[in-house]
Amino acid sequence: MSLPMNLPPAPQGAEGEMSYPFHRLMRRSANYRWWRPLAFSGVGIGFYLAALLIAMLAMFAALLMNPMTWAADNPEEAPDQFLMDPMLNMASATDFSMTMASLIIMIPAVFFAYLLIGPKPVGQLISVTGKLRWRWFGLALAASAVLFALYFGVNFGLGAVGIGASEPVPASSLPTDPLFYALLVILLTPFQCAAEELVFRGAFMQVIGSWLKHPLFAILLPVPLFTIGHLYDIWGLLDVAAFAIAAGYLTWRTGGLEAAMAMHIINNTFLFLLGAVGLVDLNATESNPVSLVFSVCFMALLTFMLVKLADRQGIARTAGPIPVADRRPLLQPWQMNQPPLRPNQPYWAPPAYQPEQQPYAGNPPVDSPPAPRAPDPSDR
């Protein structure tokens, strides 16, 4: 235990910054070191690979215990056939579920890595307030749903009159059980989108922002990593890159992941639900310049509307320095106004006794009234 005068100085923010945007939140901690973002990235990747391996082993064990695996008359209809097929069929409930699960497990991986290596509180990975701002998230979801409904309505309307009409959806891209497939979409897609935003617009932006201060680096550098995970042609990849830039800008501009997550969730949910009813080819990998221009213009409009909504709601964009913690000792044996301790006296001993100082007994002050004189017999 230390006395108050021997306590170490209170921690200060890194580089004396007084305001921290979302991509600079790792710098907010007094324990920041240049190597911590690297350690966080390595630990997060390790956790993800370990979780992925465990999930694959559990899936393989479940297939071995499934009687249908051994009793199928046609090998192509066996439940483990999707393990042998190099091409995913996103219209299949099995392939869809496994793809979503492989992405959702990024949530605990990045969370535990941030908890172990990253700054505190862990909620800084979500927003500058250290938590998910539910009201703002709900407003962003509602606004994104309305605009995406208009977008898809206009898109199908133009296709109906022959402008930008797409090819008919092949039978192989239609789910065998649309209702069950739609239920899986509603249950899994929000977590899949949250996982991707947590990694690409949360962790990667903060890692890059801890080294490079300008927000453009944090917004643009994660875009290629997000884009290469989608198997599209050049027009489709450019569309995904435009989406990643819009999501990164929204994350920086609104101080958190809520707006980007809302936009991502509504986009993917609408697409998969439309695919469940046969209006969208779930396995399509080709696009065209017209669709790209139309999509980029809509994404710019949606981003603009969400930014204006955030400004109207007064959404926080930055965080201040970490408040100084109360550093008083847990046990203080004596009052602070006691006399100082002797040099060789232990801290837990009571203060040495000092007799109370008596008032001066000499001549009275000048302005004091004269003391009464004793009667003299000669005065009689």
Side-chain angles (χ1 to χ4, degrees):
M1 183 177 66
S2 301
L3 287 177
M5 64 284 294
N6 298 326
L7 289 174
Q12 301 294 328
E15 296 185 357
E17 295 183 49
M18 300 303 296
S19 178
Y20 298 86
F22 181 81
H23 70 292
R24 296 283 288 174
L25 286 180
M26 280 193 173
R27 284 276 185 173
R28 193 178 180 223
S29 173
N31 297 325
Y32 172 80
R33 300 295 183 272
W34 68 267
W35 51 266
R36 280 187 174 272
L38 284 177
F40 162 68
S41 303
V43 171
I45 294 173
F47 281 165
Y48 174 71
L49 294 178
L52 187 62
L53 178 61
I54 293 173
M56 292 181 65
L57 291 176
M59 177 190 64
F60 185 70
L63 289 175
L64 292 179
M65 296 171 60
N66 187 358
M68 294 180 61
T69 304
W70 311 99
D73 297 331
N74 186 359
E76 295 182 357
E77 298 177 357
D80 61 342
Q81 181 60 29
F82 71 96
L83 294 175
M84 309 301 178
D85 191 356
M87 297 299 295
L88 287 174
N89 180 13
M90 293 304 293
S92 167
T94 303
D95 286 11
F96 175 81
S97 301
M98 294 308 302
T99 303
M100 296 293 107
S102 66
L103 297 172
I104 291 173
I105 60 176
M106 292 192 298
I107 295 178
V110 71
F111 175 82
F112 286 120
Y114 206 88
L115 181 65
L116 185 64
I117 303 294
K120 305 299 181 291
V122 183
Q124 289 186 156
L125 190 61
I126 299 176
S127 76
V128 294
T129 61
K131 60 184 179 180
L132 181 66
R133 297 167 291 189
W134 287 102
R135 184 175 182 275
W136 165 233
F137 180 54
L139 289 174
L141 275 175
S144 299
V146 171
L147 291 178
F148 267 108
L150 294 175
Y151 168 73
F152 285 113
V154 172
N155 203 353
F156 287 121
L158 292 176
V161 298
I163 301 176
S166 58
E167 297 293 330
V169 178
S172 60
S173 295
L174 296 176
T176 55
D177 189 347
L179 186 60
F180 178 66
Y181 189 89
L183 179 62
L184 289 177
V185 168
I186 295 173
L187 292 177
L188 299 179
T189 303
F191 294 100
Q192 170 254 323
C193 298
E196 292 185 355
E197 295 304 318
L198 203 63
V199 171
F200 294 101
R201 255 70 66 181
F204 281 178
M205 281 189 67
Q206 290 191 9
V207 167
I208 295 170
S210 67
W211 296 321
L212 303 173
K213 189 172 184 178
H214 199 283
L216 275 180
F217 293 108
I219 293 173
L220 296 179
L221 290 182
V223 171
L225 296 175
F226 180 77
T227 304
I228 60 177
H230 298 77
L231 305 177
Y232 300 135
D233 62 359
I234 183 61
W235 306 113
L237 292 178
L238 289 176
D239 193 357
V240 173
F243 176 89
I245 294 173
Y249 174 77
L250 279 174
T251 300
W252 168 76
R253 184 63 174 72
T254 62
L257 299 175
E258 296 91 350
M261 284 189 349
M263 182 174 65
H264 201 162
I265 289 171
I266 296 299
N267 176 72
N268 285 21
T269 302
F270 275 28
L271 282 175
F272 286 124
L273 289 179
L274 291 173
V277 296
L279 296 178
V280 172
D281 187 356
L282 294 172
N283 294 314
T285 59
E286 297 180 357
S287 184
N288 55 74
V290 176
S291 297
L292 173 63
V293 172
F294 194 38
S295 177
V296 169
C297 292
F298 168 75
M299 199 59 57
L301 174 63
L302 177 59
T303 303
F304 175 79
M305 296 298 294
L306 289 175
V307 168
K308 288 300 181 182
L309 182 60
D311 292 342
R312 182 181 294 271
Q313 296 295 321
I315 302 301
R317 297 177 53 187
T318 60
I322 296 178
V324 178
D326 187 1
R327 301 176 60 79
R328 291 179 297 178
L330 297 179
L331 178 62
Q332 181 176 315
W334 309 109
Q335 296 293 333
M336 294 294 294
N337 57 0
Q338 294 292 334
L341 308 179
R342 292 180 179 178
N344 297 326
Q345 187 179 11
Y347 69 89
W348 44 263
Y353 172 74
Q354 294 183 359
E356 185 178 356
Q357 190 174 9
Q358 300 296 329
Y360 180 67
N363 296 327
V366 177
D367 54 351
S368 301
R373 186 169 60 91
D376 192 348
S378 62
D379 292 341
R380 297 178 180 176

